[in-house]
Amino acid sequence: MKGLRQAVTTATSLIALLAPVAAFAQQTDPATEDSAAAAPEAPPEDIVVTGIRGALQGAISQKRDADRVQEVLAAEDLGKLPEASIAESLARLPGISTNRDRGNGTQISIRGLGPNLVNTLLNGREIVSAESSRNIRYEQFPAELLNGASIYKSPTAAQVEGAIAGQVDLRTVKPLDYKGRSVSVNVRGIFSTEADRVQDADPFGYVASISYVGRISDTLGFAVGYSGRKQAVATTRTNIFRYAGSFTDFDGDGLGQNGLPITPDSPNNQGDGIPFGFEALARGGNDERHGAVGVLQWRPSSAFELNADFFYSRVSFDETQRGFRVENLPFGNVLSDPVVTNGYVTGITTTNAGTDFGQVVRGVNESFFFKDNLYAGGLNGRYEAGGWEVLGDVGYSTTDRRQQFLTLRTEPFGVTPTTRFQSFRGRAPIMTIDTDLTNPSLYRIADFQIPENGGGAPLINDELWSASFDVKRELGGFFKNIQFGGRYTDRSKDYTQRTQFGFIDPAQRVPVPADLLNPDFQFGGEYGSLPGALSIDIPAAFERFFGEVNPTESFFDQRFSWVVGEKTYAGYGQLNLDGELFGIPLLGNAGLRVIRTETISRSTEIDQTQQPDGSVIDVANPIAVRNQFTDWLPNLNLTFQPTDQLQLRLGFSKALSRAPLDDLNAGSGVFTFNGVPQGFGGNPLLEPFRATQYDATVEWYLNRDTAITLAGFYKDLDTFIVQQVTAVTVPDPAGGPALEGTFRQPVNGQGGSIKGFELSAQTVFSFLPSPFDGLGVFANYSYTDSSISVTENDNAIGSIPLPGLSKHVANLVAYYSKAGLEARVGYRYRSSYATELGDTDRILFTAPEGVLDMQISYEFPESTPLAGVQVMFQGNNLTNEPFETYYGDRNLQGRYEKFGTRYLFGIGFKL
């Protein structure tokens, strides 16, 4: 109830603040109102509005004319989207939020539903992903090469299926939309404040782009563009590892985890919770992206058009991570001076008690890289004759990823360190180690890992062919036209897991040679009190101590390697409406889409069984599993227009989102020791997420600059895919009854409802005296709630809220746009949310965060020698907002990470 009251209060305040302003703007600008109501294009004698204001006007116009509930991200010109990441631009829109990976927005959630339920298109075509799932990393798409995006929140039958949360259609430019030649060049320098404190990061970088749009003739146009970016990867973080039962009542209050009594017959008899360990790491390196786009458009007549487009992007991260890691706190140690919060240890001093299973202190030097290449393109045509319109499209996209994570670890030699940690809410924890981690004689190279659970060295390939056709027949009258069509896709994705390990016997360990050492690594800024560590030349040390880096697919890696093929066959029929109902103008559509999906998953089943004599037998069996399902997806979208300014939209639909491709892995591993089998695997028989959806919006368009919208939505999910522990039985090698154990895999779990509302308002204060009449504001707020809860991976603590759902998401953008001067300050807020499953086997939440950005630019007027030249300054994450996670209780901190502030200064020009 408290959250609901907060939501209602915020929404009401927003309306109260902006409605009078909008009404005043309506009264003082009747010409603008009339032009907005009459037609989307301004008369020739009207002033042409450009820049931020022009882009927002374009977005209002497109949203108003849409045939469904949607949001629009419009750019006034190629390369004019304000953020460096398209995900951050999308996150300014109502009901949309983004994560922060290395300080960049990379994936989005829509209406509280995470990336698994968001479908992304490029120029109307589904595209591949270098992630193991279907999720798109939006940093793959340079904002400089995109001309905008549409976010569809209620589907039509003609729309590509696969989006319960919403569908994002990224768009490149259409050359014949330009009246003539357009050349745009932009160069920006980047400075990262956090990189100035991280050893392996260069604080300086750049973003550069060039694009050309032109015509060969009045009927043939083309566009080409290139964008390049190099910026620092620079983050510093601490982690408190997951909590486990200590079987100790540290503070003697008789209460254990969650403040529950410790009794012999209680499940809480594990005592106070204590973390498995803790770490502090600084990550530095380079983030590079290169992208190119090419478009050809031929329109010899109004009845025929042919378009070809090509997109290429290469993203690479190359980074080094240094610091320390402490593990195995719960057992085999001398523990003292505990700080206990609600039955959980948030601070303690630890010394290994001379056991093999007690505390281990390590210095770590880690390298990580991945390189993604994406190629996407297609050809589409349109032909009209005699009231018929025929559209055809073929598309192809492919991507590959090469990735490797390597950790080189040092361990103490001849000493037993004593450590202490104490965590706090909202700031970096205290961490101390009483031995010098920068001493190459005390801390010696012990081992290395390219592990399966730390990213490993997977090879990922994804390929997708698509073909579609659409036919429309004009009918006239209330039933404006009827359309039907079909779509075929053929997708193949493979994932190959590779690992490598090496170990040096303690008796053979030697001091780290001086020629392998960099200057000692020390933490900086807020983390400056943390212990430093050895900084080792990782490639040279690896070659000298272990030889060649050569990860391979091991026997046990086979269960993680898979190939999934997926074919879809879709057909639809849709009736479009344009008329009146009870004297009220009505637009809309009603239709049905039918989709058949066929999948085949290939992998390996691994069985490892301990025999009665203590020996172990390993067996690997290839496996291929087919699955198929058919979905019928009806939908209805109605738009009532009781006045020229007011629109009421109603929507009903059934929708699906297919399971993540890595969840469809047919591979598994069952390990039986001491008569107890434990299994892990994917589930090639997963059904998709399915939902019934209802939408209702009220949209008030006062003039070209001013709009207020209120949208409500309700989604009833039949099922939600979650990780779950189920029963498994295996033969007893001793010949007895079958052995029973556990098997963890993704399953179609129980569904539930998701509901909420979104409020959006924008206006320009054009009634103010000059020069203040260039001021404007864009604001939105969304509230989302869900009855869906999911069970934690190990089924140990019960249920958590729907992963990825933030109840409150808000954005506020204040801007000035006039006479070539543009300034923008934007703030986006996201309340706490549970992490996506798979990040941890215990509850982990992300704390609320608010990110503040700004941008200012000036374009010289046509009357000056510098006509067309623009200078720009931009700041991202101005307050250095931390990324913080916690274990259910805000006092139980998990990660505390800072990315720093990025400043950009640049110049650009267009002709």
Side-chain angles (χ1 to χ4, degrees), residues 697-708:
T697 70
V698 180
E699 302 170 1
W700 185 23
Y701 299 97
L702 286 89
N703 54 52
R704 288 177 297 182
D705 290 305
T706 306
I708 298 176

Side-chain angles (χ1 to χ4, degrees), residues 543-818:
E543 181 179 4
R544 186 173 305 180
F545 283 86
F546 302 103
E548 182 183 3
V549 178
N550 183 31
T552 57
E553 184 186 44
S554 71
F555 176 85
F556 294 104
D557 287 336
Q558 294 178 84
R559 72 188 194 276
F560 295 116
S561 299
W562 47 265
V563 179
V564 172
E566 181 181 79
K567 293 183 178 181
T568 69
Y569 309 83
Y572 78 93
Q574 179 172 304
L575 186 63
N576 297 310
L577 313 175
D578 186 356
E580 291 188 356
L581 185 65
F582 305 116
I584 300 176
L586 170 67
L587 302 173
N589 54 75
L592 174 68
R593 189 175 186 90
V594 182
I595 311 100
R596 178 179 176 84
T597 303
E598 299 176 354
T599 62
I600 182 170
S601 177
R602 296 182 174 89
S603 187
T604 304
E605 292 180 326
I606 300 293
D607 288 303
Q608 187 178 54
T609 306
Q610 184 182 43
Q611 302 301 302
D613 62 1
S615 63
V616 175
I617 296 179
D618 299 330
V619 178
N621 292 309
I623 183 173
V625 180
R626 293 183 180 271
N627 192 25
Q628 59 188 33
F629 44 85
T630 300
D631 288 273
W632 299 70
L633 306 178
N635 64 77
L636 175 68
N637 292 284
L638 299 175
T639 302
F640 296 89
Q641 299 174 322
T643 72
D644 290 339
Q645 298 176 335
L646 187 65
Q647 290 190 162
L648 308 176
R649 296 188 193 268
L650 298 175
F652 162 79
S653 61
K654 286 185 176 291
L656 66 83
S657 289
R658 297 185 181 91
L661 290 169
D662 51 345
D663 281 351
L664 297 178
N665 174 19
S668 64
V670 178
F671 307 93
T672 304
F673 288 86
N674 300 318
V676 180
Q678 285 188 307
F680 311 86
N683 187 350
L685 298 178
L686 281 173
E687 296 283 308
F689 301 87
R690 294 187 174 98
T692 302
Q693 308 181 130
Y694 303 89
D695 290 272
T697 70
V698 180
E699 302 170 1
W700 185 23
Y701 299 97
L702 286 89
N703 54 52
R704 288 177 297 182
D705 290 305
T706 306
I708 298 176
T709 64
L710 176 63
F713 61 91
Y714 180 90
K715 299 176 185 287
D716 185 8
L717 271 71
D718 296 338
T719 183
F720 197 87
I721 297 173
V722 296
Q723 292 283 339
Q724 192 172 78
V725 176
T726 57
V728 65
T729 59
V730 301
D732 184 355
L739 303 175
E740 295 186 2
T742 59
F743 190 87
R744 188 169 60 127
Q745 66 176 164
V747 300
N748 289 102
Q750 184 176 355
S753 65
I754 300 171
K755 57 185 178 294
F757 67 87
E758 301 160 350
L759 179 65
S760 175
Q762 65 185 78
T763 192
V764 173
F765 303 104
S766 55
F767 56 87
L768 294 175
S770 181
F772 304 107
D773 53 348
L775 291 169
V777 65
F778 172 76
N780 60 69
Y781 167 81
S782 66
Y783 173 82
T784 308
D785 197 10
S786 175
S787 67
I788 300 174
S789 61
V790 297
T791 303
E792 190 184 10
N793 279 356
D794 60 3
N795 290 348
I797 307 182
S799 298
I800 63 174
L802 180 66
L805 186 147
S806 292
K807 283 195 173 184
H808 308 284
V809 175
N811 288 278
L812 175 64
V813 177
Y815 68 89
Y816 182 87
S817 179
K818 186 175 181 180

Side-chain angles (χ1 to χ4, degrees), residues 819-859:
L821 177 64
E822 297 200 343
R824 178 180 64 91
V825 177
Y827 178 79
R828 66 179 189 270
Y829 170 82
R830 181 180 188 181
S831 64
S832 62
Y833 60 95
T835 59
E836 294 285 355
L837 296 182
D839 288 352
T840 175
D841 62 356
R842 300 305 298 266
I843 295 176
L844 195 64
F845 289 79
T846 297
E849 60 183 19
V851 179
L852 181 67
D853 303 323
M854 62 80 64
Q855 183 185 62
I856 185 168
S857 65
Y858 179 74
E859 184 171 336

Side-chain angles (χ1 to χ4, degrees), residues 491-509:
R491 185 172 191 171
S492 177
K493 187 161 193 166
D494 61 80
Y495 182 100
T496 303
Q497 178 69 286
R498 302 179 303 159
T499 56
Q500 187 179 358
F501 302 90
F503 178 78
I504 300 175
D505 185 273
Q508 305 299 317
R509 296 173 187 174

Side-chain angles (χ1 to χ4, degrees), residues 28-43:
T28 57
D29 193 8
T32 305
E33 172 196 331
D34 293 342
S35 67
E41 294 186 1

Side-chain angles (χ1 to χ4, degrees), residues 80-136:
K80 281 293 188 71
L81 288 173
E83 283 84 11
S85 164
I86 186 69
E88 292 166 6
S89 296
L90 292 170
R92 299 287 181 200
L93 300 175
I96 300 175
S97 56
T98 184
N99 67 337
R100 289 197 296 160
D101 180 11
R102 300 169 174 86
N104 303 317
T106 59
Q107 298 184 350
I108 65 169
S109 298
I110 300 177
R111 290 181 163 176
L113 294 170
N116 283 343
L117 283 83
V118 175
N119 189 25
T120 302
L121 312 179
L122 178 63
N123 291 326
R125 305 183 197 98
E126 190 174 3
I127 50 176
V128 291
S129 165
E131 298 292 293
S132 59
S133 59
R134 301 177 190 267
N135 298 353
I136 297 297

